Amino acid sequence: MHIPSPEELRSRREALGLRQTETAKRAGISQSMVARIEAGSVDPRVSTLNKIIAVFNNAEPKKITAGQIMHTPVLSVAPQASISQAVEIFEKNNISQLPVIERGAPVGCISESVIVKAIEQQRLHHTHQFMVKDFMEPGFPTVPPDMDVETVVNILQQNHAVLVTEGRIVRGVITKHDLITLIV
């Protein structure tokens, strides 16, 4: 167990923006005790140090994680689904892309723009039954549920969505819209 020095205690308290009075009140000790501990003029009990450290830990800003902001269930299609099934999901949910998931794991994505491009190139005809796998693109990036939101923001600057996975299994999705709701 690391026992913090008086300088480390003072430095951490100041970094957290806590005053000695506030630290003392939260820890259930006197302000003068905090001042003497930080000055190194008193050797505190371990229980007193634990109280101060608990105050510091509780004052730490809570980090937002991918698991906290993801939404579920994840709308998706299977690679064997028909293009018309994907289009129905797009229209019903007012979205333009979907992850392609097989046995819980991401294998790619399908978007309206790829389907429109295939129609323009006359590769997609209404008389043929094409599958999602025929027009699937590389999938969205994935992150674990404990990934910090700052990293997710950076990833979303280059991508439309991020899938939250545990192992290879998709648990949720984060879009730019989800980040906007954090601000509002």
Side-chain angles (χ1 to χ4, degrees):
M1 172 181 167
H2 171 71
I3 298 175
S5 69
E7 296 81 24
E8 289 173 320
L9 289 170
R10 184 184 68 253
S11 176
R12 185 162 181 212
R13 178 184 56 76
E14 290 172 349
L16 292 169
L18 294 172
R19 296 177 47 204
Q20 286 182 348
T21 307
E22 187 177 359
T23 301
K25 183 177 179 182
R26 290 183 185 184
I29 59 176
S30 69
Q31 181 273 325
S32 63
M33 176 60 83
V34 173
R36 290 186 308 208
I37 291 169
E38 288 183 359
S41 63
V42 68
D43 194 11
R45 293 181 173 183
V46 172
S47 61
T48 303
L49 275 178
N50 282 338
K51 289 177 185 178
I52 293 170
I53 291 169
V55 168
F56 293 166
N57 289 341
N58 288 332
E60 285 282 339
K62 304 296 183 236
K63 292 193 177 188
I64 300 173
T65 64
Q68 292 170 315
I69 62 171
M70 71 181 187
H71 67 265
T72 58
V74 177
L75 297 175
S76 65
V77 290
Q80 300 78 18
S82 69
I83 290 293
S84 61
Q85 286 175 300
V87 170
E88 284 177 29
I89 296 172
F90 291 151
E91 290 175 353
K92 181 179 177 185
N93 296 284
N94 197 27
I95 57 176
S96 60
Q97 59 212 355
L98 285 168
V100 180
I101 297 178
E102 187 170 41
R103 291 188 297 279
V107 294
C109 73
I110 186 80
S111 66
E112 282 182 340
S113 59
V114 167
I115 296 169
V116 169
K117 189 175 183 180
I119 292 169
E120 288 172 352
Q121 295 174 348
Q122 298 180 355
R123 291 176 41 212
L124 188 61
H125 300 284
H126 195 60
T127 57
H128 293 89
Q129 182 69 304
F130 285 99
M131 292 188 209
V132 167
K133 68 180 179 179
D134 298 322
F135 298 97
M136 192 169 66
E137 298 176 295
F140 300 115
T142 61
V143 298
D146 61 352
M147 179 65 66
D148 62 278
V149 74
E150 291 83 13
T151 302
V152 174
V153 168
N154 291 332
I155 294 169
L156 282 173
Q157 289 175 357
Q158 308 299 321
N159 299 277
H160 296 290
V162 174
L163 296 176
V164 180
T165 58
E166 285 183 308
R168 294 232 341 114
I169 304 301
V170 175
R171 299 293 184 212
V173 62
I174 303 170
T175 64
K176 292 174 185 175
H177 178 72
D178 296 317
L179 296 178
I180 293 169
T181 60
L182 288 176
I183 299 168
V184 183

